C-alpha cells in the first residue's frame, strides 16, 4: 500500500503542472480576448494566393 | 445581393450609377476599396459577410501630425531599428470580415509583417517595417479601405495600460485547490474505520491544509481587506461575515487536524471561496470597447497644424500649443484651444459643448472657444490660451468629476448583511452560553459551527449572479451599463431629466418645412440640380427630400463657403443659402436653421430645418409620467417650446438656455430635495449633469464613438425602450430579495445542525455547494425569464 505515496506524488505533480500551465497562459494574455480566436480558426488560408506581381499597390487613387 | 444596395457597404445605391464588375456601388470610395481588394485577391472579404465595408472618408491632411516624430513615438508600443508595433483603435470593426481583412493586411502591403485583431476591444495590433512604411502611411492605408483608426489625445499617454488579471489567478488557485481538497477529503466522508484510513489520513489532512493555504491567504485576501476597511469606518458590510466565516473555518479546521480531532472543513472552505470569486468574476462583465470614463481628451486631436512665422505649416502636439501661436484649423476639425479668428469664415458647431444645435458664424477678430467644430473650409486662428486653461477644460475641474458614485451608495446586499451579521452573532453567543451550561466540551464546537454554516455565501452570491446576468441581457439589447451597482440605482429613480438636442431629437434626421411662394417645376428642377453639386450637410438633406426630377447640366455653378450656392441654367439664375446672400433682408428672427432660395434675384421662400424627434418619444413620456417627474433641460434656445408642449405630457417641465453649470446645479438642488435623478444626455455639455445625477445615461447614435463620462450608454435606436429597461432593474431587485429568502431557508437548516452540535464535515460539504449552486440556478433562470419579456 506504500504505493499510494508514489501515486499521490505523481498526481499532485501532474496537477501542479497543469496549474502552472494555466497561470502562464493567463500571463501571456491568452484569456484577454476570448472571441477573435474563435472566428480566426474558421478562415480558409488557402483562398488567398500569394501574388507576386501586383498591378495596383494601395496608393491613394485620385478621385 | 440585390442591385439596389452597395456591394461594399450595403447602403442604398439606387441613385448612384456606379456599376463595376457587375456589382453596384453607392459611391466611388466603395468601388475603390473593392478594386483594391479584387486586385490583391482579397475578395473573400465579401464571402464571410454581406456588405461588411464602410465608405472610406477623405483624410487628406488629417493625419499630418503623424509626421511629427515626437507624437509617433508616443503612440508606438515598440520601436526598434526597423520594426515598429502599434495598436490602433478602429471603431468600424464589427464582424468576421473585418477580422479577416485586418489580419491579412500583409497581402495589401508587404511591409506589414503581422496584424492581430482583438475583437472585444475593437483594436488591431500591427507590426510593420518602419524603413518602408511609416505610421502615417499605415493609417492612410487603413483609411483607404474603410477602416479609419480613431486617434485622440487620450492615446497620448505615457506607458502602457496595465491589465489587471489578479481575479483570474485567484479564481484559478481557488478552483484548483477546491477540486484537489474535495478529492482528498472523500475517504473520510464515509467514516470507514479501516486500517488503511487510520494509517494515511494524516497525510491526506496535511495535504488539504497545504492546498488551502494559498486560497485563504491569496484568493480570499480581498474579503479580509474589505471587511477590515468596513469595520474601521464602522460599517458592517457583507464582507465582514464572509471574512469571519473564512477565518473561523480555517482556524477550526487547522486546530482539528493538529489535535487529531477530525478532518476539518477544508473542502467547504475552498469551495466557499471558489464560489464567491466565481460570482465576482461573473459580475465583472465589462464592455471593453466602450469607455465610461471619457473626458475632453477623447474628443481632442493629438496634433494640430501650426503656421510658423516663415509661413510654413508644421504639425505640433496639442499640449505644445502656446499663447500667440498661429494655427490652421481644417474643415471638420475640432478647435482645441480658445483663440481669435484671423483668416477665413468660420461656421462653428458648438453643439457638443453647449447643446446649441444652431451653428454660429464668426467674423475675423471674433473669439472662438475650444470644443467647437469648424464646418466650412479652413481657418487661421491666433491662440489665446493653452489647452489646460481653455474654457472646455475648465469644465472638468468641477468637483463632481472627482467623486466616486459607488461609495456614497449602500447597496442592497450590504443593507441586509448588517442585520444578518448581528443576528448570527447573537445566535452564536446564545447557543454557546446554552452549551456552556449543559455540556461545556461542545461549546466551542457549536460557536464555530454557527459561524461556519451561517457564512453568507448564498447571500453574497445572489447579487453578483443576478446583476451579472442582467448586465448581459441589457448589453444584448444595446443598453450598456458601467457596472452592477447602476442597476440598483436605476431601480430607485423617481425623477428623469432629458437633454433635448441629440437626446430626444435625432441627430441625423431632420424635418424640413417650406414657407414662401410656390416654386414652378422648372425652378424645382433647377434647385435640385444645383443642390446635387454641393456637399454641404444642409444641401444634402434638402436634396434628399425633394421630388425626383430630371437632372440638368448646369451652365455655371459656384459655391460660396459659409454663404450659399449660385447657379445658372440657360436664362434661369438661382441662389440658395443664407438670407443676406440671396438678398432677403426682412428676415424674421427665427430660431431654427433655414435655407433661403431666390430665383432671378427674386426672393422665393425658405426651407426651415427642424430636428426630428426620436420615434416613440411621446408614447415613452406618457408611460413614464405615471411614475416619474419629467424634465427637459436644454442648452438650446426656446424655438422648439411649442412643438414640445404639443408632443409631451402637460406636466413635463421645460427649461431652455441652460448652460452646463446650470444643469449641474439644477440636479444638485433637486437631489437635496430628496429626488433620485436619472439624467439622459448626449454631449460634453451634459457631462457635469451626468456625473452629478444618481444615474447618468448617455445616448449615442453610434456607441463606438463619443459619449461623455456616464454610468450607462444607450444606443439611440433603443431610446423608446427606456421604460422597460428601468422596469427590468426593478425586477432584478425583486429576484435578489427572493433569493435572499431562499438562502435564509438554507441557513436555518444549517443552523439547526450547528446549534444542536452535530455539524459533521460531510453535512457542511453538502450544504455549502448545494445552497450556492441552487442560488446561481435560481437567479439565472429568473433573470432570463425577465429578459425574455423584452422584445
Amino acid at each position: 500500500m506504500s504505493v499510494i505515496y508514489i501515486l499521490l506524488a505523481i498526481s499532485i505533480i501532474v496537477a501542479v503542472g497543469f496549474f502552472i500551465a494555466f497561470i502562464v497562459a493567463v500571463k501571456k494574455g491568452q484569456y484577454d480576448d476570448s472571441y477573435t480566436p474563435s472566428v480566426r480558426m474558421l478562415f480558409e488560408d488557402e483562398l488567398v494566393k500569394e501574388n507576386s506581381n501586383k498591378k495596383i499597390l494601395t496608393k491613394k487613387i485620385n478621385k | 445581393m440585390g442591385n439596389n444596395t452597395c456591394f461594399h457597404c450595403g447602403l442604398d445605391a439606387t441613385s448612384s450609377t456606379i456599376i463595376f464588375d457587375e456589382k453596384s456601388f453607392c459611391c466611388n470610395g466603395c468601388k475603390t476599396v473593392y478594386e483594391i481588394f479584387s486586385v490583391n485577391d482579397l475578395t473573400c472579404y465579401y464571402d464571410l459577410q454581406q456588405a461588411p465595408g464602410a465608405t472610406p472618408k477623405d483624410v487628406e491632411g488629417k493625419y499630418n501630425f503623424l509626421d511629427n516624430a515626437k507624437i509617433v513615438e508616443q503612440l508606438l508600443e515598440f520601436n526598434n531599428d526597423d520594426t515598429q508595433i502599434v495598436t490602433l483603435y478602429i471603431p468600424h470593426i464589427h464582424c468576421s470580415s473585418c477580422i479577416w481583412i485586418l489580419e491579412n493586411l500583409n497581402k495589401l502591403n508587404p511591409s506589414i509583417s503581422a496584424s492581430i485583431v482583438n475583437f472585444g476591444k475593437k483594436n488591431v495590433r500591427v507590426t510593420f517595417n518602419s524603413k518602408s512604411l511609416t505610421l502615417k502611411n499605415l493609417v492612410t492605408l487603413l483609411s483607404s479601405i474603410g477602416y479609419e483608426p480613431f486617434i485622440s489625445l487620450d492615446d497620448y499617454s505615457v506607458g502602457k495600460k496595465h491589465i489587471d488579471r489578479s481575479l483570474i489567478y485567484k479564481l484559478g488557485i481557488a478552483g484548483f485547490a477546491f477540486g484537489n481538497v474535495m478529492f482528498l477529503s472523500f475517504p473520510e466522508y464515509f467514516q470507514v474505520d479501516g486500517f488503511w484510513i487510520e494509517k494515511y489520513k494524516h497525510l491526506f489532512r496535511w495535504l488539504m491544509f497545504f492546498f488551502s493555504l494559498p486560497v485563504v491567504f491569496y484568493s480570499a485576501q480581498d474579503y479580509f481587506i474589505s471587511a477590515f476597511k468596513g469595520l474601521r469606518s464602522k460599517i458592517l458590510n457583507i464582507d465582514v461575515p464572509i471574512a469571519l466565516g473564512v477565518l473561523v473555518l480555517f482556524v477550526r479546521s487547522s486546530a482539528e487536524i493538529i489535535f487529531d480531532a477530525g478532518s476539518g472543513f477544508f473542502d467547504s472552505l475552498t469551495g466557499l471561496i471558489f464560489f464567491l470569486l466565481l460570482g465576482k468574476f461573473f459580475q465583472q462583465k465589462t464592455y471593453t470597447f466602450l469607455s465610461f470614463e471619457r473626458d475632453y481628451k477623447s474628443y481632442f486631436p493629438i496634433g494640430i497644424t501650426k503656421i510658423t512665422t516663415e509661413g510654413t505649416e508644421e504639425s505640433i502636439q496639442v499640449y505644445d500649443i502656446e499663447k500667440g501661436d498661429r494655427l490652421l484649423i481644417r474643415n471638420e476639425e475640432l478647435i482645441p484651444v480658445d483663440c481669435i479668428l484671423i483668416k477665413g469664415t468660420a461656421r462653428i458647431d458648438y453643439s457638443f459643448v453647449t447643446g446649441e444645435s444652431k451653428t454660429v458664424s464668426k467674423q475675423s477678430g471674433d473669439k472662438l472657444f475650444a470644443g467647437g467644430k469648424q464646418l466650412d473650409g479652413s481657418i487661421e486662428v491666433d491662440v489665446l490660451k493653452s489647452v489646460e486653461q481653455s474654457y472646455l477644460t475648465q469644465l472638468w475641474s468641477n468637483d463632481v468629476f472627482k467623486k466616486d458614485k459607488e461609495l456614497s451608495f449602500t447597496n442592497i446586499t450590504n443593507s441586509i448583511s448588517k442585520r444578518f451579521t448581528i443576528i448570527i452573532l447573537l445566535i452564536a453567543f446564545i447557543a454557546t452560553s446554552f452549551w456552556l451550561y449543559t455540556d461545556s466540551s461542545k461549546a466551542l464546537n457549536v460557536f464555530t459551527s454557527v459561524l461556519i454554516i451561517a457564512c453568507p455565501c448564498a447571500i453574497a452570491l445572489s447579487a453578483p449572479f443576478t446583476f451579472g446576468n442582467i448586465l448581459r441581457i441589457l448589453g444584448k439589447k444595446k443598453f450598456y451599463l458601467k457596472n452592477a451597482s447602476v442597476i440598483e440605482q436605476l431601480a430607485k429613480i423617481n425623477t428623469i431629466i432629458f437633454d433635448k438636442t441629440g437626446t430626444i431629437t435625432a441627430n441625423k434626421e431632420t424635418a424640413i418645412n417650406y414657407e414662401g411662394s410656390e416654386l414652378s417645376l422648372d425652378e424645382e428642377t433647377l434647385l435640385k440640380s444645383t443642390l446635387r453639386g454641393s456637399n454641404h450637410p444642409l444641401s444634402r438633406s434638402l436634396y434628399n427630400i425633394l421630388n425626383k426630377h430630371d437632372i440638368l447640366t448646369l451652365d455655371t455653378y459656384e459655391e460660396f463657403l459659409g454663404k450659399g450656392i449660385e447657379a445658372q441654367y440657360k436664362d434661369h439664375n438661382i441662389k440658395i443659402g443664407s438670407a443676406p446672400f440671396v438678398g432677403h433682408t426682412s428676415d424674421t428672427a427665427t430660431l431654427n436653421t433655414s435655407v433661403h432660395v431666390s430665383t432671378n434675384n427674386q426672393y422665393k421662400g425658405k426651407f426651415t430645418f427642424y430636428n426630428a424627434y426620436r420615434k416613440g418619444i411621446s408614447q415613452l413620456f406618457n408611460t413614464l409620467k405615471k411614475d416619474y417627474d419629467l424634465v427637459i433641460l436644454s442648452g438650446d434656445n426656446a424655438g422648439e417650446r411649442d412643438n414640445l408642449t404639443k408632443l409631451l405630457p402637460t406636466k413635463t417641465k421645460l427649461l431652455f438656455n441652460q448652460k452646463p453649470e446650470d444643469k449641474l446645479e439644477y440636479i444638485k438642488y433637486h437631489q437635496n430635495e430628496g429626488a433620485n435623478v436619472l439624467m439622459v444626455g448626449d454631449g460634453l455639455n451634459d457631462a457635469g449633469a451626468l456625473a452629478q445625477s444618481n444615474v447618468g445615461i448617455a445616448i449615442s447614435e453610434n456607441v463606438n464613438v463619443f459619449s461623455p463620462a456616464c454610468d450607462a450608454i444607450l444606443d439611440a435606436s433603443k431610446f423608446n425602450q427606456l421604460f422597460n429597461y428601468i422596469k427590468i432593474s426593478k425586477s432584478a431587485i425583486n429576484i435578489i430579495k427572493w433569493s435572499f429568502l431562499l438562502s435564509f431557508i438554507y441557513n436555518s437548516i444549517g443552523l439547526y445542525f450547528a446549534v444542536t452540535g452535530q455539524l459533521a464535515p460531510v453535512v457542511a460539504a453538502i450544504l455549502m455547494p448545494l445552497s450556492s449552486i441552487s442560488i446561481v440556478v435560481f437567479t439565472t433562470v429568473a433573470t432570463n425569464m425577465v429578459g425574455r419579456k423584452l422584445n
Side-chain angles (χ1 to χ4, degrees), chain B residues 765-783:
Chain B
I766 291 168
L767 219 84
M768 199 84 81
L770 186 75
S771 64
S772 307
I773 290 167
S774 62
I775 289 286
V776 170
V777 169
F778 169 74
T779 54
T780 310
V781 169
T783 45

Short mmCIF file of all heavy atoms in Angstrom, two decimals, chain B residues 765-783:
data_model
loop_
_atom_site.label_atom_id
_atom_site.label_comp_id
_atom_site.label_asym_id
_atom_site.label_seq_id
_atom_site.Cartn_x
_atom_site.Cartn_y
_atom_site.Cartn_z
N ALA B 765 -20.15 20.03 3.85
CA ALA B 765 -19.67 19.85 2.49
C ALA B 765 -20.81 19.69 1.50
O ALA B 765 -20.67 20.00 0.32
CB ALA B 765 -18.75 18.64 2.42
N ILE B 766 -21.96 19.17 1.97
CA ILE B 766 -23.10 19.03 1.07
C ILE B 766 -23.88 20.34 1.00
O ILE B 766 -24.24 20.82 -0.07
CB ILE B 766 -24.03 17.88 1.52
CG1 ILE B 766 -23.31 16.54 1.31
CG2 ILE B 766 -25.34 17.90 0.76
CD1 ILE B 766 -23.99 15.37 1.96
N LEU B 767 -24.11 20.93 2.18
CA LEU B 767 -24.98 22.10 2.25
C LEU B 767 -24.40 23.32 1.54
O LEU B 767 -25.12 24.06 0.88
CB LEU B 767 -25.22 22.45 3.73
CG LEU B 767 -26.64 22.90 4.02
CD1 LEU B 767 -27.54 21.71 4.23
CD2 LEU B 767 -26.68 23.79 5.22
N MET B 768 -23.09 23.49 1.69
CA MET B 768 -22.45 24.70 1.16
C MET B 768 -22.56 24.78 -0.37
O MET B 768 -23.12 25.74 -0.89
CB MET B 768 -20.99 24.72 1.61
CG MET B 768 -20.37 26.07 1.51
SD MET B 768 -20.69 27.10 2.94
CE MET B 768 -19.48 26.52 4.09
N PRO B 769 -22.06 23.78 -1.12
CA PRO B 769 -22.18 23.87 -2.58
C PRO B 769 -23.63 23.84 -3.04
O PRO B 769 -24.00 24.54 -3.97
CB PRO B 769 -21.45 22.62 -3.08
CG PRO B 769 -20.67 22.12 -1.95
CD PRO B 769 -21.37 22.56 -0.71
N LEU B 770 -24.47 23.04 -2.33
CA LEU B 770 -25.86 22.92 -2.74
C LEU B 770 -26.55 24.28 -2.69
O LEU B 770 -27.22 24.69 -3.64
CB LEU B 770 -26.59 21.93 -1.83
CG LEU B 770 -28.01 21.61 -2.26
CD1 LEU B 770 -28.01 20.69 -3.46
CD2 LEU B 770 -28.81 20.97 -1.13
N SER B 771 -26.35 24.99 -1.59
CA SER B 771 -27.01 26.29 -1.47
C SER B 771 -26.46 27.25 -2.53
O SER B 771 -27.22 27.94 -3.19
CB SER B 771 -26.82 26.87 -0.07
OG SER B 771 -25.46 27.14 0.17
N SER B 772 -25.14 27.24 -2.70
CA SER B 772 -24.55 28.15 -3.68
C SER B 772 -25.08 27.88 -5.08
O SER B 772 -25.53 28.78 -5.78
CB SER B 772 -23.03 28.00 -3.70
OG SER B 772 -22.53 28.13 -2.42
N ILE B 773 -25.05 26.60 -5.47
CA ILE B 773 -25.43 26.26 -6.84
C ILE B 773 -26.91 26.54 -7.07
O ILE B 773 -27.30 27.07 -8.11
CB ILE B 773 -25.07 24.79 -7.16
CG1 ILE B 773 -23.55 24.66 -7.24
CG2 ILE B 773 -25.69 24.34 -8.47
CD1 ILE B 773 -23.04 23.25 -7.23
N SER B 774 -27.75 26.24 -6.06
CA SER B 774 -29.17 26.46 -6.30
C SER B 774 -29.49 27.95 -6.40
O SER B 774 -30.37 28.35 -7.15
CB SER B 774 -30.02 25.79 -5.21
OG SER B 774 -29.71 26.34 -3.97
N ILE B 775 -28.76 28.77 -5.65
CA ILE B 775 -28.96 30.23 -5.78
C ILE B 775 -28.58 30.68 -7.18
O ILE B 775 -29.30 31.44 -7.83
CB ILE B 775 -28.10 30.99 -4.74
CG1 ILE B 775 -28.65 30.80 -3.34
CG2 ILE B 775 -28.04 32.48 -5.08
CD1 ILE B 775 -29.91 31.55 -3.04
N VAL B 776 -27.45 30.18 -7.67
CA VAL B 776 -26.99 30.56 -9.00
C VAL B 776 -28.02 30.14 -10.06
O VAL B 776 -28.39 30.92 -10.94
CB VAL B 776 -25.62 29.92 -9.31
CG1 VAL B 776 -25.25 30.12 -10.77
CG2 VAL B 776 -24.56 30.53 -8.42
N VAL B 777 -28.52 28.91 -9.92
CA VAL B 777 -29.51 28.43 -10.89
C VAL B 777 -30.78 29.27 -10.81
O VAL B 777 -31.30 29.73 -11.83
CB VAL B 777 -29.85 26.93 -10.62
CG1 VAL B 777 -31.05 26.50 -11.44
CG2 VAL B 777 -28.65 26.08 -10.96
N PHE B 778 -31.25 29.53 -9.59
CA PHE B 778 -32.48 30.30 -9.43
C PHE B 778 -32.36 31.69 -10.06
O PHE B 778 -33.20 32.12 -10.85
CB PHE B 778 -32.84 30.43 -7.95
CG PHE B 778 -33.94 31.42 -7.68
CD1 PHE B 778 -35.25 31.11 -7.99
CD2 PHE B 778 -33.66 32.67 -7.14
CE1 PHE B 778 -36.27 32.03 -7.75
CE2 PHE B 778 -34.67 33.59 -6.90
CZ PHE B 778 -35.98 33.26 -7.21
N THR B 779 -31.28 32.41 -9.72
CA THR B 779 -31.15 33.77 -10.24
C THR B 779 -31.01 33.78 -11.76
O THR B 779 -31.58 34.62 -12.44
CB THR B 779 -29.94 34.51 -9.64
OG1 THR B 779 -28.78 33.70 -9.85
CG2 THR B 779 -30.11 34.76 -8.18
N THR B 780 -30.26 32.81 -12.29
CA THR B 780 -30.06 32.77 -13.74
C THR B 780 -31.38 32.52 -14.46
O THR B 780 -31.72 33.22 -15.42
CB THR B 780 -29.05 31.68 -14.10
OG1 THR B 780 -27.90 31.83 -13.28
CG2 THR B 780 -28.63 31.78 -15.55
N VAL B 781 -32.14 31.53 -13.98
CA VAL B 781 -33.41 31.22 -14.63
C VAL B 781 -34.36 32.41 -14.53
O VAL B 781 -34.99 32.83 -15.51
CB VAL B 781 -34.05 29.95 -14.00
CG1 VAL B 781 -35.48 29.77 -14.48
CG2 VAL B 781 -33.22 28.73 -14.36
N ALA B 782 -34.43 33.00 -13.32
CA ALA B 782 -35.36 34.12 -13.11
C ALA B 782 -35.00 35.31 -13.99
O ALA B 782 -35.88 35.91 -14.62
CB ALA B 782 -35.38 34.52 -11.64
N THR B 783 -33.71 35.66 -14.05
CA THR B 783 -33.34 36.82 -14.86
C THR B 783 -33.58 36.56 -16.35
O THR B 783 -34.00 37.45 -17.07
CB THR B 783 -31.86 37.22 -14.66
OG1 THR B 783 -31.07 36.04 -14.69
CG2 THR B 783 -31.65 37.95 -13.38
#
